[in-house]
Amino acid sequence: MRKIKHLASFIFAAFLLPAGVFAGWWWLEERPSSWGAADWSATGMLPPASISEEAAIYVLAARTGGMKGALSVHTWIVLKPEGGDYERYEKVGWGMPVRRNAYSPDGRWYSNPPYVVKALHGADAERLFPAMRAAIDSYPYSHRGDYVIWPGPNSNSFVAHVASQVPELGASIPPNAIGRDYRPGLFVFEHDADWTDYRLFLGGYAGLALGRDTGLELNLLGLVAGFDLLQPAIKLPGFGRIDLWATASA
């Protein structure tokens, strides 16, 4: 009985309490009343393609709409060939799910401003374009009806698929990107090519990650709690990744 109480206390402190605190703050903030009332305009955080000639790859994220935004972000991928235009790729929950250039590359998502998760420029980006395009094209859940808001496959499952297919990208999908840990099948074990990070997935409903770059992450019903020692940070449901001092990389 004592072990059950300790487990319940841990679940409350690590998952339910931070998720509830952030959801309470989110509920008090003013939000768009509908899809049509939301602001989807460009933010200008990416330089105009006509000015920036170099190749670039970006992984961007922004809070989702409604109360879902209290717990999760929406992620997408932006490719820019040298001398070319931006190309935005993401998965959505209506129509043909994988979209290209449906929104501005750095556009707001349900009025929420995006931030950069990962960026590569110049030759480092150019050499990854074939692998990135192949990973986007190979995504298995790209047909009508292939979107499941929870536990996945959803928008974050798509970006996580591309990141896993192109490890050279070095993109760490935010811990509050619910759906990133979805894998088909009830029990899936993965490891990095250099065997420094290990991940156990239980259908997206639970999971465990441990390693040099990941730190420790526990997944319960899509909510992630954990910490990172190499780049000191804690990871809390709702809040996402919280770096412990300014010199740590986000």
Side-chain angles (χ1 to χ4, degrees), residues 18-33:
V21 169
F22 197 91
W25 171 80
W26 188 260
W27 181 74
L28 292 174
E29 293 293 302
E30 184 177 352
R31 306 291 170 197
S33 59

Side-chain angles (χ1 to χ4, degrees), residues 145-236:
D146 281 350
Y147 182 97
V148 179
I149 190 171
W150 178 85
N154 60 20
S155 61
N156 299 319
S157 310
F158 166 69
V159 176
H161 164 82
V162 175
S164 67
Q165 293 295 304
V166 191
E168 300 87 353
L169 178 63
S172 179
I173 310 304
N176 56 344
I178 292 179
R180 64 162 201 172
D181 292 331
Y182 171 81
R183 301 293 188 278
L186 182 58
F187 184 95
V188 177
F189 173 76
E190 294 180 357
H191 61 81
D192 288 357
D194 55 3
W195 291 82
T196 57
D197 288 78
Y198 308 86
R199 300 174 184 85
L200 176 64
F201 304 96
L202 301 177
Y205 299 101
L208 170 67
L210 179 66
R212 181 191 65 191
D213 299 323
T214 304
L216 173 66
E217 292 183 354
L218 299 174
N219 179 326
L220 180 63
L221 301 179
L223 302 177
V224 172
F227 58 85
D228 187 348
L229 291 177
L230 191 62
Q231 300 181 33
I234 58 174
K235 305 172 186 181
L236 295 174

Side-chain angles (χ1 to χ4, degrees), residues 5-25 70-71 218-226 235-239:
K5 289 183 178 180
H6 288 166
L7 178 60
S9 298
F10 172 76
I11 291 175
F12 175 79
F15 294 96
L16 300 183
L17 180 60
V21 169
F22 197 91
W25 171 80
L71 299 179
L218 299 174
N219 179 326
L220 180 63
L221 301 179
L223 302 177
V224 172
K235 305 172 186 181
L236 295 174
F239 292 88

Side-chain angles (χ1 to χ4, degrees), residues 137-151:
D137 292 341
S138 70
Y139 183 62
Y141 304 103
S142 58
H143 306 93
R144 291 183 184 273
D146 281 350
Y147 182 97
V148 179
I149 190 171
W150 178 85

Side-chain angles (χ1 to χ4, degrees), residues 38-87:
D39 182 0
W40 303 87
S41 64
T43 59
M45 66 179 297
L46 299 182
S50 59
I51 296 176
S52 177
E53 290 291 317
E54 69 174 354
I57 296 174
Y58 297 96
V59 178
L60 299 179
R63 290 279 174 173
T64 62
M67 283 305 296
K68 299 190 301 295
L71 299 179
S72 183
V73 297
H74 168 77
T75 56
W76 65 93
I77 295 167
V78 176
L79 306 180
K80 183 193 173 299
E82 183 177 4
D85 295 327
Y86 287 109
E87 305 169 17

